[in-house]
Amino acid sequence: MTLREKQDALAADLSRYKNPQDRLAHMIRVGRAAPGLEENFKTPEAKLEGCLSNLWVRSEFRDGLCFFRADSDSAIVKGLATVISDLFSGLPPEDILKADLAPLRQAGLWQQLTPNRRTGLARLVDNIHEFAREHLPQ
């Protein structure tokens, strides 16, 4: 899928929930259902600072594309981190650097998060962008 297709699919998924609390509950369900990371990938190097809950990200680059997986000990953070990771996964670095989180903002999810959770998830996006910059074609 292209970035635009992924963003449109995410926006359509979130628009099914008219109530902001229902969207948050959906993210919690996503977090509980997501496989997360194996314990051996939950290292201090993979842990992102800036979030009250633990948040780990695993980044891989293969065949010219970036792939991300995230995990957290908080179901809502894990759900949001999974959605963000899925949004950026399977894309070339240059597309990742053009992407934003408009679907999450337009759905009102971003505004409902505590400042600490927004900071932690912003760190995840920064980490993903940094990884993409490191893998731009030379």
Side-chain angles (χ1 to χ4, degrees):
M1 288 179 92
T2 67
L3 173 61
R4 175 55 45 206
E5 290 169 333
K6 287 182 172 199
Q7 287 175 317
D8 289 347
L10 177 57
D13 184 42
L14 294 175
S15 71
R16 295 181 314 157
Y17 303 97
K18 302 303 177 205
N19 181 322
Q21 289 304 109
D22 292 340
R23 285 189 288 272
L24 283 176
H26 174 64
M27 286 297 111
I28 290 169
R29 287 190 298 275
V30 168
R32 289 183 177 147
L37 293 172
E38 296 81 7
E39 288 302 314
N40 59 313
F41 293 120
K42 294 181 181 179
T43 64
E45 298 78 31
K47 186 176 177 189
L48 299 182
E49 299 302 323
C51 189
L52 289 179
S53 42
N54 292 311
L55 175 60
W56 299 272
V57 65
R58 179 180 160 110
S59 306
E60 296 179 80
F61 185 76
R62 57 182 191 271
D63 301 322
L65 304 174
C66 299
F67 296 89
F68 306 96
R69 290 182 44 219
D71 201 350
S72 177
D73 54 8
S74 161
I76 191 161
V77 171
K78 183 177 177 182
L80 288 162
T82 297
V83 166
I84 291 168
S85 296
D86 289 349
L87 182 65
F88 291 117
S89 283
L91 297 174
E94 50 276 9
D95 286 359
I96 290 170
L97 294 172
K98 294 182 221 168
D100 62 30
L101 298 177
L104 294 178
R105 288 190 175 90
Q106 290 164 353
L109 277 172
W110 204 255
Q111 299 84 338
Q112 285 187 276
L113 299 175
T114 63
N116 284 329
R117 286 205 169 118
R118 281 195 303 263
T119 299
L121 292 171
R123 278 285 304 125
L124 173 60
V125 173
D126 290 346
N127 181 277
I128 288 170
H129 282 157
E130 182 180 318
F131 184 82
R133 271 191 294 282
E134 290 171 2
H135 292 88
L136 281 168
Q138 298 299 320

